Amino acid sequence: MRKILLAITLIMVLACSASALPRLAVRQFEDRSEEGKAPAGAVMDMMVTELNKAGVFDLIEREHLDYIADEIKLGQMGLIDPSTAIEVGKIQSPRYTMTGAITLYYYSEKGSGFALPILGSATQAKTAYVMLDIRIIDNATSKIIYTSDQLGQSKQVAKGALATYKGFFIGSYNRTTGGLLATATRDSVMKHVAAIKAINWKE
């Protein structure tokens, strides 16, 4: 019976060790697009969420580390109950660090059709483009393990009438421009996540 319990314990320990994931710190993304209107923080949040779903890393956000550092300082000042304070030196260092830059973030509108004296038939298309440049660095060696830029796209076509007298298009879209850009961003993020999952990561 004792041997069986020892065997079960050993299997559980090995299983826990095998399931241990490498730690990844995600730094704040940068907006390097020409337009300068990309929501870098929201894009980073999307990346963290999708990586967490993929189960590739134990994730750490640098801004959360700053928050923990503030909590430690409060404990050292005696402002927090010592029994609940975070201990110095107990935070595990990440093996890898991710940096990200949004290098393209815009949408275009194109249309075509024919005109009659008052009304005409027209088709308009909105396409959003988002380019996300990602790097993952091995903190132990400073070697870049992963680097790639992935283009995300989202397109929507609407058909309607063209009022030639005033020169405006009468039609409807299912998604707003912001929605198209968000979809294009997710497309870029998911391409990165798929490529990252294909790598054999080690702690």
Side-chain angles (χ1 to χ4, degrees):
M1 184 68 176
R2 184 178 179 182
K3 290 182 178 180
I4 294 175
L5 290 174
L6 287 173
I8 293 174
T9 302
L10 179 59
I11 291 172
M12 292 178 65
V13 169
L14 290 174
C16 290
S17 299
S19 63
L21 298 175
R23 292 179 297 278
L24 173 73
V26 182
R27 288 192 172 275
Q28 178 64 47
F29 286 5
E30 298 179 30
D31 177 12
R32 295 183 185 172
S33 63
E34 183 177 350
E35 297 76 16
K37 298 180 180 180
V43 176
M44 185 193 73
D45 289 341
M46 186 182 294
M47 174 64 76
V48 170
T49 298
E50 295 303 329
L51 282 175
N52 185 60
K53 291 179 181 179
V56 181
F57 301 103
D58 280 333
L59 296 168
I60 302 169
E61 288 187 39
R62 279 296 182 184
E63 61 182 31
H64 289 174
L65 286 181
D66 293 339
Y67 169 78
I68 293 172
D70 291 339
E71 290 295 311
I72 292 174
K73 290 177 183 178
L74 291 174
Q76 292 173 336
M77 293 169 62
L79 300 176
I80 295 179
D81 184 348
S83 64
T84 62
I86 301 172
E87 295 184 41
V88 178
K90 294 296 183 179
I91 300 175
Q92 294 182 324
S93 176
R95 171 65 184 272
Y96 302 100
T97 296
M98 172 184 283
T99 62
I102 304 161
T103 56
L104 187 66
Y105 191 84
Y106 84 101
Y107 75 95
S108 67
E109 293 186 22
K110 294 181 180 180
S112 63
F114 64 91
L116 297 175
I118 298 177
L119 290 176
S121 176
T123 299
Q124 282 195 346
K126 290 183 178 181
T127 306
Y129 303 90
V130 176
M131 180 79 79
L132 182 57
D133 191 312
I134 294 292
R135 294 184 182 183
I136 298 180
I137 304 163
D138 187 333
N139 295 329
T141 63
S142 296
K143 182 179 179 181
I144 298 176
I145 305 299
Y146 173 85
T147 178
S148 178
D149 52 359
Q150 297 286 353
L151 177 64
Q153 298 183 53
S154 179
K155 185 175 183 179
Q156 185 174 206
V157 177
K159 295 182 178 180
L162 178 66
T164 56
Y165 178 70
K166 291 292 184 179
F168 59 84
F169 174 76
I170 305 172
S172 61
Y173 290 95
N174 295 326
R175 288 177 289 178
T176 63
T177 299
L180 287 171
L181 285 166
T183 303
T185 300
R186 183 171 297 279
D187 183 35
S188 177
V189 166
M190 295 309 296
K191 287 178 180 177
H192 277 294
V193 172
I196 291 170
K197 285 181 65 176
I199 298 174
N200 183 22
W201 297 95
K202 296 179 181 180
E203 180 52 72

